[in-house]
Every structure is written in C-alpha cells, then in structure tokens.
Amino acid sequence: NVNASQVICVGGTADEMEVTYAGGTGNATYQWFSNTTNTNSGGSEISGQTTSTYTPNIFTTVGNFYYYSEISLDGNGCNTASSAIFKVNVLADPIINTQAIASQELCQNATPANLTITTSGGTSSPKSYQWYQNTTNSSSSSSSVTAITGENSAIYTPNTSAIGTLYYYVIISQPASGCSVTSAISMVKIKEAPSISTQPISSE
C-alpha cells in the first residue's frame, strides 16, 4: 500500500491511495471499498472507483476512516485479493483560544499593544503563523491584503509610523491537509499627534 496511514484535518483532502500486486495471471480489475472498522472485509463498495488508485472526497467530519481495494485477475483459477487497510485519521482544525485585542487608537509613533494569540488543537505538527494587513475590514484574499514579511509568530507589534487605519489578522496552519484557522481582525487606527498651533505670548 502507498500512503497507508494519514492524518489530516476537517476540510482536508487525503493523499492518493495506491495498490500494486504481484503474481497471478491475466488482466486486473480493481474495486475500492470504505469501511467503518479497521478491516479489509465487509466494507461498502465505492461506486466508480475501479482503478489502482483512489482519492477520497474532502472530509467534513472528525473520525477514523478506512479503505481497501479488492484486486481480481481474469486468469483461470485466480482468487480475489484484498489490500491492507488504508486509514485516514481526521482531526478537528486548530483553534484560537485567545484572540488579539479587537481595536486600538493611537497617536502617530506611539507604542501599540501587541497583537497576541494563543492556539491549541490540530495535529501534533508544529504550527506556522503568517500575519497579514488589509486596508479594509476583511480577512478575505484580495488585492488590498498584504502578507507581512517576517511576521511568523503568535505575537505581532503593529507599526504606528503612518497615519491611517489598518486591519490585521493571522493565519495559523500545519503541514497536514486542511489544518488551518484564521484569527479575528484587529483594527489599528493611527492619528496625527497633537501639535501646538499658537504659542503663548510673553508680557510684562
């Protein structure tokens, strides 16, 4: 079996499964099955899956899912062979336990509050972080979104040198398919620092 055991997250796609055989004679036909238990018999036939490879549909629920293939040869006296089990362990996506501060208004060049998040869940693989800024209040991909170079941790300190309003969010991901989560948006509004337009006049 190729890719006999996989771990992914809800919304992910498993890698292609593949079986090969040796021995026997004649032409091979394949039939893939799904099963609710870790066994290669008594499963449910998957309609239309009759080649040596199979890729399940996107997984929408948490759990363990099992697959196997039966290989038949049309040579005289050749019995049907069942492959070993392919297991797909589907986990819940990572979650954000603590979101960053929702908004803050500051004067130009003031010291901002850090945007800090905490996460848990997902697979056992390390989590990757990428912070983004947007000129609109959205975390959807668009031409107004910019990935912030080098900002790849759970903490981000916004830049306060430019006047205006920017919206920040972070995407946390893991190597397994479907294992990602997007944070809530944090608004940072930078205003011009106050200045004295009229100075006091001295007198005697």
Side-chain angles (χ1 to χ4, degrees):
N1 291 12
V2 179
N3 293 327
S5 183
Q6 303 179 52
V7 178
I8 65 172
C9 289
V10 170
T13 302
D15 293 334
E16 182 181 75
M17 303 170 186
E18 183 179 4
V19 293
T20 59
Y21 72 93
T25 185
N27 298 311
T29 58
Y30 302 85
Q31 178 60 59
W32 286 87
F33 295 81
S34 63
N35 212 344
T36 56
T37 58
N38 189 10
T39 181
N40 62 353
S41 64
S44 300
E45 186 176 295
I46 304 172
S47 177
Q49 299 303 319
T50 56
T51 67
S52 62
T53 60
Y54 171 61
T55 303
N57 293 328
I58 291 174
F59 289 86
T60 59
T61 57
V62 171
N64 290 317
F65 300 85
Y66 304 97
Y67 302 91
Y68 64 94
S69 180
E70 288 186 352
I71 306 169
S72 301
L73 296 171
D74 60 7
N76 187 29
C78 294
N79 295 325
T80 298
S82 295
S83 73
I85 287 289
F86 294 83
K87 176 184 176 182
V88 181
N89 182 13
V90 183
L91 303 176
D93 290 330
I95 60 173
I96 298 175
N97 304 107
T98 305
Q99 296 281 0
I101 183 173
S103 64
Q104 53 185 313
E105 294 189 18
L106 304 145
C107 286
Q108 190 175 14
N109 296 318
T111 301
N114 287 333
L115 307 183
T116 304
I117 61 165
T118 61
T119 62
S120 64
T123 71
S124 59
S125 300
K127 295 178 174 66
S128 299
Y129 301 83
Q130 178 60 63
W131 286 90
Y132 295 84
Q133 70 177 29
N134 200 346
T135 55
T136 61
N137 188 6
S138 172
S139 57
S140 299
S141 298
S142 70
S143 59
S144 62
V145 173
T146 303
I148 306 172
T149 303
E151 296 300 336
N152 308 116
S153 73
I155 301 173
Y156 171 61
T157 304
N159 189 316
T160 63
S161 63
I163 295 170
T165 302
L166 288 173
Y167 302 89
Y168 298 93
Y169 64 94
V170 62
I171 295 178
I172 302 98
S173 59
Q174 295 180 289
S177 178
C179 296
S180 68
V181 62
T182 301
S183 73
I185 291 173
S186 293
M187 182 196 78
V188 179
K189 180 180 287 187
I190 308 301
K191 298 181 177 180
E192 186 177 2
S195 61
I196 298 173
S197 57
T198 303
Q199 295 288 352
I201 300 172
S202 61
S203 63
E204 293 185 12

